[in-house]
Amino acid sequence: MRSYIPLTLLILLSACGPSEAPRTSERTAEPSPRLKITHFYAGKTEITRGESVLLCYGVENAAEVRLDPPAESLSPGYHRCFTVSPERDTTYRLTALDLFGHSAHADVYVAVKTPAPPAAPKPELALIRMFVAASPEVPAGFPVTLCYSAPEAESVSIDPPVQELKPAQRFCFRAPVQATTTFRLTARAPGGRMETAEVTVRVR
């Protein structure tokens, strides 16, 4: 006697195939934080030889910071500054490195000019600008008029001491002459500098 499997049961059996293994979600590795130099600048782009200039920088996600040409030991930070004193025009390169072997660079140029030569010292002003006699010759016993200019002097004196004198732009006075006489005017300045001038008046 033949047995028959109901059609409905066959349909149900054919629909049930082997079950699939559950799928697992694939995780992608997250990218490392981005290495970045946020700023790198000089306080002045031009200096005179012998001066110093301030360099400032900031980095993100850096493990190490280097400078070329080297100036001092640098460390990562959001804002750090240091000074350099280049002797010639120099381009400074800042290099930042992270833990994954990545690097970032930034450059700053500093021009160095030669100092101007020192100004020539100002010539010292003459203490005695003028010392003259109104006449080079007078009769015996007659006075002669003497004039001088010494505005830059601190003190003025005459020898023979015929009169007390003082610094002046122009000053004249009379001196008696009994015999041929050489009058010596002396002017002194602060610091000890001294100048003299002479006038000879003859007696006829």
Side-chain angles (χ1 to χ4, degrees):
M1 180 177 178
R2 293 182 179 179
S3 61
Y4 295 92
I5 300 174
L7 180 59
T8 303
L9 181 59
L10 289 174
I11 294 173
L12 291 174
L13 290 174
S14 63
C16 296
S19 60
E20 295 182 357
R23 295 183 179 180
T24 58
S25 59
E26 296 181 358
R27 293 184 178 180
T28 57
E30 295 183 359
S32 60
R34 183 183 176 189
L35 175 66
K36 185 179 181 182
I37 296 177
T38 57
H39 58 273
F40 181 41
Y41 63 88
K44 293 188 292 185
T45 57
E46 183 180 77
I47 62 172
T48 300
R49 184 175 293 112
E51 293 181 341
S52 297
V53 62
L54 195 69
L55 299 184
C56 296
Y57 69 93
V59 295
E60 292 180 359
N61 304 312
E64 184 181 353
V65 180
R66 300 173 185 170
L67 184 72
D68 184 45
E72 62 177 72
S73 178
L74 305 182
S75 58
Y78 290 108
H79 184 73
R80 298 185 186 277
C81 296
F82 58 95
T83 57
V84 292
S85 302
E87 291 295 319
R88 60 186 63 84
D89 295 353
T90 303
T91 297
Y92 290 95
R93 165 159 286 199
L94 185 75
T95 300
L97 303 101
D98 64 11
L99 296 175
F100 304 96
H102 304 133
S103 63
H105 308 279
D107 295 332
V108 162
Y109 178 77
V110 178
V112 180
K113 62 182 180 180
T114 303
K122 293 182 179 180
E124 294 181 330
L125 297 176
L127 295 180
I128 299 175
R129 299 182 181 180
M130 175 193 69
F131 182 42
V132 296
S135 175
E137 188 176 289
V138 295
F142 276 71
V144 65
T145 299
L146 302 175
C147 297
Y148 70 89
S149 174
E152 305 297 333
E154 183 180 47
S155 64
V156 179
S157 60
I158 187 81
D159 185 47
V162 294
Q163 182 172 331
E164 185 176 345
L165 304 179
K166 60 183 179 180
Q169 183 69 36
R170 178 181 173 85
F171 184 74
C172 296
F173 61 97
R174 301 182 74 183
V177 180
Q178 301 297 334
T180 297
T181 305
T182 297
F183 295 94
R184 173 175 289 184
L185 186 74
T186 300
R188 291 179 173 83
R193 188 163 67 97
M194 181 180 69
E195 287 184 12
T196 61
E198 294 181 348
V199 167
T200 298
V201 178
R202 297 186 301 274
V203 170
R204 61 174 181 265

